[in-house]
């Protein structure tokens, strides 16, 4: 869950996830729709699918892999996660290199190698492997991660509190820790406005499900957009912003009349939507519409009170 997600955001999801799936067997046999509903809001849903694939492989074998190489073969497991699990769970001498560790290394070594490039990451991984405390690799890795997360911060690092300040070459060389690390691979943000259609009939809402083979978020439910169905568009019900990597979206939600043909869409009740995996965009749209209607109701009540 901590891949691409802050700790504070992940904790409630983590607690809920473990309550629902307390062991590998529970996760392995869970329906995917239930898994995705539990993960909804965290984003990057392939992480959840890979987690379940790994659980099923481990459940089939009957034992968790105990070597770096075997852990690395599990779906969704990269070099960093494999090294972290191998060192912390099995005391195997593998250095775990994440963004926090790269920042610490760049400053301690006063090294301006680009941490965003594959060659740069390999360069720092080789460097930290020579420093690794092989008698306690798990402790070393956790200390490096914690140092980067709490002391060697991206901006205004707490150098006076740093336990290894005496070893920091950038300070010894008279440089500024804020100038490191170097990260050159930046992408410009893409801004886009999109419309969503809010179509109700008989207490149900019209929605469509992403196909199983979809590249992004397969199996999740979404609101239709103009062009997917032929529907007369009415008043604007609300809007919200949403960011996906370097894409910055402004979504506008419009009321629309029920179409003659629903196409691939389906009518779903609130109870059904609450139990199905719906996208974060869908959830934000529901909140925006509910807020709009709540405001309108309060305004109506106030007008009636003043009139009387």
């Amino acid at each position: 869950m901590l891949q691409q997600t802050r700790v504070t955001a992940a904790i409630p999801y983590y607690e809920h996830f473990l309550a629902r799936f307390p062991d590998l067997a529970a996760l392995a046999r869970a329906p995917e729709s239930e898994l995705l509903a539990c993960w909804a809001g965290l984003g990057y849903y392939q992480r959840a699918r890979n987690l379940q694939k790994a659980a099923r492989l481990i459940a089939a074998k009957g034992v968790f892999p105990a070597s770096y190489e075997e852990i690395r073969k599990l779906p969704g497991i990269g070099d960093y996660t494999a090294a972290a699990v191998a060192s912390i769970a099995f005391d195997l001498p593998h250095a775990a290199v994440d963004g926090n560790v790269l920042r610490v290394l760049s400053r301690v070594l006063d090294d301006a190698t680009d941490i965003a490039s594959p060659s740069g990451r390999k360069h720092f991984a080789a460097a930290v492997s020579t420093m690794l405390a092989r008698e306690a690799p798990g402790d070393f890795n956790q200390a490096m991660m914690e140092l980067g997360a709490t002391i060697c911060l991206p901006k205004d690092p707490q150098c006076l509190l740093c336990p290894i300040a005496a070893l920091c070459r950038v300070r010894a060389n008279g440089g500024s820790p804020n100038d490191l690390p170097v990260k050159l691979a930046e992408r410009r943000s893409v801004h886009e406005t999109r419309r969503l259609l809010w179509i109700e009939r008989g207490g149900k809402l019209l929605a469509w499900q992403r196909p199983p083979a979809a590249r992004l978020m397969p199996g999740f439910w979404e609101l239709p957009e103009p062009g997917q169905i032929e529907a007369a568009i009415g008043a604007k019900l609300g809007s919200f912003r949403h960011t996906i990597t370097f894409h910055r979206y402004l979504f506008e939600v419009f009321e629309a009349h029920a179409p003659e043909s629903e196409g691939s869409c389906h009518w779903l009740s609130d109870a059904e939507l609450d139990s199905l995996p719906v996208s974060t965009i869908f959830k934000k749209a529901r909140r925006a519409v509910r807020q709009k209607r709540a405001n309108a109701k309060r305004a109506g009540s106030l007008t009636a009170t003043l009139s009387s």
Side-chain angles (χ1 to χ4, degrees):
M1 288 183 179
L2 294 179
Q3 294 171 1
Q4 307 294 329
T5 305
R6 294 176 294 108
V7 173
T8 52
I11 286 175
Y13 283 96
Y14 174 75
E15 293 174 342
H16 176 62
F17 195 88
L18 286 189
R20 172 57 190 87
F21 310 115
D23 52 39
L24 282 168
L27 178 58
R29 64 174 175 261
E32 184 179 90
S33 60
E34 189 172 347
L35 169 70
L36 295 178
C38 195
W39 195 274
L42 274 173
Y44 300 95
Y45 293 93
Q46 192 58 32
R47 296 181 298 174
R49 291 187 174 91
N50 282 333
L51 197 60
Q52 187 174 59
K53 289 177 184 177
R56 287 172 174 170
L57 287 173
I58 296 167
K61 289 185 177 181
V63 62
F64 195 95
S67 72
Y68 172 86
E69 292 74 20
E70 289 301 312
I71 296 170
R72 181 67 177 80
K73 291 178 183 178
L74 291 172
I77 301 297
D79 294 341
Y80 164 70
T81 304
V85 173
S87 62
I88 296 170
F90 300 107
D91 290 322
L92 298 176
H94 294 275
V97 183
D98 66 352
N100 286 328
V101 173
L102 287 169
R103 184 168 58 254
V104 172
L105 291 171
S106 179
R107 291 169 175 173
V108 169
L109 300 174
D110 195 9
D111 191 327
T113 301
D114 178 15
I115 65 169
S117 68
S119 60
R121 296 181 72 89
K122 288 181 180 179
H123 165 76
F124 284 114
V128 74
S129 292
T130 65
M131 308 173 189
L132 183 67
R134 279 166 166 70
E135 69 283 359
D139 291 344
F140 177 89
N141 283 332
Q142 291 181 82
M144 289 288 283
M145 297 175 204
E146 192 72 4
L147 186 64
T150 62
I151 301 294
C152 199
L153 302 171
K155 295 181 179 179
D156 300 320
Q158 307 297 303
C159 298
L160 296 180
L161 302 176
C162 182
I164 61 170
L167 304 176
C168 186
R169 292 182 189 173
V170 72
R171 283 173 55 83
N173 294 338
S176 170
N178 283 318
D179 293 336
L180 293 171
V182 171
K183 188 176 182 180
L184 300 178
E186 295 289 343
R187 302 186 73 172
R188 288 188 177 182
S189 295
V190 177
H191 297 268
E192 184 178 344
T193 299
R194 290 168 61 176
R195 288 184 168 189
L196 301 174
L197 302 182
W198 187 270
I199 306 173
E200 292 179 295
R201 188 182 70 183
K204 293 188 176 184
L205 189 64
L206 197 62
W208 65 281
Q209 187 179 30
R210 290 178 174 271
R215 185 174 64 87
L216 295 175
M217 300 172 60
F220 274 72
W221 289 87
E222 303 276 10
L223 288 174
E225 298 184 45
Q228 284 183 284
I229 54 174
E230 294 294 330
I233 299 176
K236 182 177 175 179
L237 297 177
S239 63
F240 59 91
R241 297 190 181 276
H242 185 72
T243 299
I244 303 176
T245 60
F246 57 91
H247 286 87
R248 307 286 187 268
Y249 293 104
L250 171 62
F251 282 96
E252 298 178 326
V253 187
F254 285 84
E255 187 176 28
H257 298 288
E260 293 183 6
S261 173
E262 292 87 2
S264 60
C265 296
H266 299 270
W267 294 102
L268 300 173
S269 66
D270 278 346
E272 288 174 309
L273 288 171
D274 288 338
S275 64
L276 292 172
V278 298
S279 71
T280 300
I281 293 170
F282 198 146
K283 289 182 178 180
K284 287 183 176 181
R286 291 178 81 188
R287 285 198 295 268
V289 172
R290 287 170 178 171
Q291 185 63 48
K292 173 83 170 181
R293 290 176 173 174
N295 291 341
K297 186 176 182 180
R298 283 195 293 268
S301 298
L302 179 60
T303 301
T305 301
L306 293 175
S307 298
S308 61

